[in-house]
Amino acid sequence: MIRDSLLTPNPLTHHPDLGAGQQHLSLHLAHTRMTILSLCFGLLFGALGLRMVDLSVLGLEEWELKPEVTLETYMPTRAPIYDRHHRLIATTIPAASASLRPHKLLNKPDVIIKKISKILPTFDAKDAVERIKEGKKFIWLSRKLSPSQQDKLLLLGEPGIGFHESEHRIYPYGSLFAHVLGQTNIDNKGISGLEYGLDEKIQSQEEIVTSLDLSCQEVITKVLMRAIKKFKAKAANALVIKLDTGEVISSVSLPAFAPGQKASEEGRFNRNTLGSYEMGSILKAINVVMALESGKAHLDTLYDTTKPIAIGRFRIKDFHPVDHWLSLDQIFLKSSNIGSIRILQSVGIEAQRAFFRHIGLLDRITTELPEVGSPHYPVKWQEPSCYTITYGYGISFTPLHFASTIAALMRGGEALKPTFLKRSSPQHGPHLIKPETSSILRNLMHRVVQEGTARKAKVPGYIISGKTGTANVLKDGRYVDGKVVTSFIGTIGSQLDKPEYLLLAMLDEPQPLQETFGFNAAGWNAAPVAGEIFKGIAPLLGIEPTPQAAGQNKSPLLKIIPTTFFKTESKG
Amino acid sequence: MHESLFSHWWLTIDRWAFFTICFIALCGILLVSAASPAVAGHIGLGPGHFILKHGLYLLVSFAILIAVSLLSPLHVVSFCALGFFLSALLVIATALWGMEIKGARRWLMLGGFSLQASEFLKPFALMMTGWLFAQYHKTQNPHYLLANGILLVLSLGLLISQPDMGMTVLLSVCWGIQLFLFGISYKWIGIFLGLGSLGSLGAYLSLSHVRGRIHRFLNPDTMDRYGDGYQLHQSLDAFASGGLFGKGPGEGIIKRTLPDAHADFIFAVCGEEFGLILSLIILGLYLFFAARMLLSFWESKESEAIYMGTGLTALFLFQAFINMGSTVGLIPTKGMTLPFISYGGSSLMATGMTLGILLGLTRRYTPYKSQKSVGGFGLHMTGGKFYDRY
């Protein structure tokens, strides 16, 4: 019998006729069990109470919570990039992407699409409607949602709108560093610039401190933009290299592009590292250095510059012909083409080639940037190409390549390897030329700025040395008259023997202006642009002005003020 | 009797218990007021929407409570029998025409009100099984035991069909408590516990959402903070951030992120905004009410009161325990309301009815003044027969 085995074996409860007694004993059992039950309840609620005390006050049990993800603790897949003063120039923030699954929509697609296009201004509603009609099951709405956009989309309450965690690479200064930093693709992989060149380091969370200076970059960009406007130039670019460390302080190439947006091919092109250009008369500096280094010439060696030189059907003339022989330094200062060839003839073609190779002008240089152009030079090193090379035609370099070579020659002859990453100690290299030759070069270049073609690059208070170059643009194998690329290369410092920074500034096809008396040579555009850049960046780079340089310039600050004052007085 | 119906009722009920219920209801109003505006805002309703509805449901619940507590024990049994029959029919109707929400079919739309019939089925079923236990106890007629078993299997079957595992477990446990009081031998307790474990194992193996919950409970580290473990993590954070005194009414943030902040997870809002103090007070109120009920039944010495009353008290207390326990991570998460505090029409009314039955069962047949008080709580000795109390 079930009940026999079911109930507690109590002999009294088994007899139906026991009446009140049986009731009493069973009650006794029930009472005992109610006590046990109450105890159990008490224990359970005691445990509950203790758990509550623990959670709220004691915190004994460490509830393993994953740390809250905030902007401070957020670890993105790409490390940030800083300028030389540790100012943030590229960073990654979390951002959601949104997608649409039309078949999961609760509301009519038209209604939802209308609401979405109000939230996302760049959303192409027509395209989306067409895709839905085509029966697409998945449509990207936006790959980069702002938090407020995401919030608004969430509040639509549509199960058909999905969100995906993603990241957004941010360049706080927009296009300012566009070419140097480069870009990432939609999967956050670097595709150009430092983003590509240093992709592995950036992805392995290595903090990147570049050699770039935000302030200089901004100043140079502004000056170049003004120059493009003023001279109606096609493009412009400039580089600043710190001479002792070889760091690239600034690299601007215009036109630029806005990161993350579609850019033209010209906009994406980094003129400083990828483009190769004929530098024109600047090459005469190399020619002079070569002659001095060969030991076959010194500053007052005289050369016959009275007659044009005929090579085949070409006749090489000078812009300002002279009827007497010129010394080496005069050839440089007057920028004589004939003189340059005479110098080469005294040294020899093979020596020229060897010297170009020796100072590294024939090998392409590498930096952290993946965009690297190669130098172009004649395959057969012979006349007449090697003649034109002396005054900067028939050979072309990337601006960064050329600038770092000139930098080496200007800083005492020590080879220099440019870098886009911060270096804290001076960089030394093998001597390419003798320090004495370097000193002569500095003097010559200083004189070009003081009394030669680069006078407009002068800035009161600073010792500036430089050389201008104007090269006709080569189009379809012919040099186009009137279309030129003008450049200025030079250094700035507070002592002539200790230049601190090198600047290379170039303008592509600047137009002759009334202001420049119809000229478009470098002295009329590249030189003044360089002067403006020097003026802007010298205080930022901490170059100390010297009274000696102020005196030389005939227009020191103290002298300017009374003159201006007088002029206004007389007008009034 | 010269007293009016109400004053007679007032003099014969356990007023301490009644006040406790009122306090619990007040806490409920407070917490629903704190939690629901955020929830209402989420689904585009006015901030006062749930508060107003909660107040209305509470009024109806108190009306039910008082009405049911006026019933004599004999009428209560008949009422429960009828109620059981009706609610079982409604649960079957729910299975056929109910609304499916989050994979479960528990709600039946009745003229704008979504009724969860199973909330009513639980107390009625326990009353019936308790009465059948008492009948067997008195008559030793095995048919009562058979009827008892059939009733239980039927009720559990209906709950499983929804499926509502929380309520199934709750009803099983409360029936087990009745069986325990009835005098089941320890050998059979072991067998039943074994069967219960097998049943749980079966549920664990066959129902994926049950498996998920248990797994997450046993391995909290594997929980995805923004995935399956989201609610519990939020809730634990709420208690931790609330501390002793809480952040202050309305200052909490959990209600913005938990969809059930005004219902199943209301206790987390309590912990966050009002701190440990109110949480412990609420816990104490439930315990105090249950203690008053159990002591009263203990004293009554009547098997009907003991089986029916204890079963129902356990139902009330266990539901509170499961809700609070899962909110603080003591037991696996179970979707269950905090009785008389959580928002929810069916839950409030069914609880009002449960409490009404309990207050009715503990009514004294002589007014308070003439009674001998025991232990300072106004406990009384009835000593008479169950049905002749009034």
Side-chain angles (χ1 to χ4, degrees), chain B residues 318-380:
Chain B
F318 256 123
Q319 187 167 339
F321 175 79
I322 290 175
N323 178 285
M324 292 189 281
S326 45
T327 306
V328 298
L330 193 67
I331 57 169
T333 322
K334 270 269 130 266
M336 203 168 280
T337 53
L338 189 57
F340 239 47
I341 288 186
S342 289
Y343 172 82
S346 303
S347 163
L348 280 174
M349 288 182 213
T351 312
M353 199 196 66
T354 308
L355 295 174
I357 296 171
L358 283 172
L359 281 186
L361 289 179
T362 52
R363 268 174 85 178
R364 303 158 217 138
Y365 61 94
T366 47
Y368 174 75
K369 279 176 270 184
S370 59
Q371 271 172 16
K372 206 166 119 192
S373 128
V374 176
F377 286 108
L379 285 171
H380 56 281

Side-chain angles (χ1 to χ4, degrees), chain A residues 536-550:
Chain A
I537 64 172
L540 296 173
L541 293 170
I543 306 166
E544 281 188 31
T546 98
Q548 178 202 352

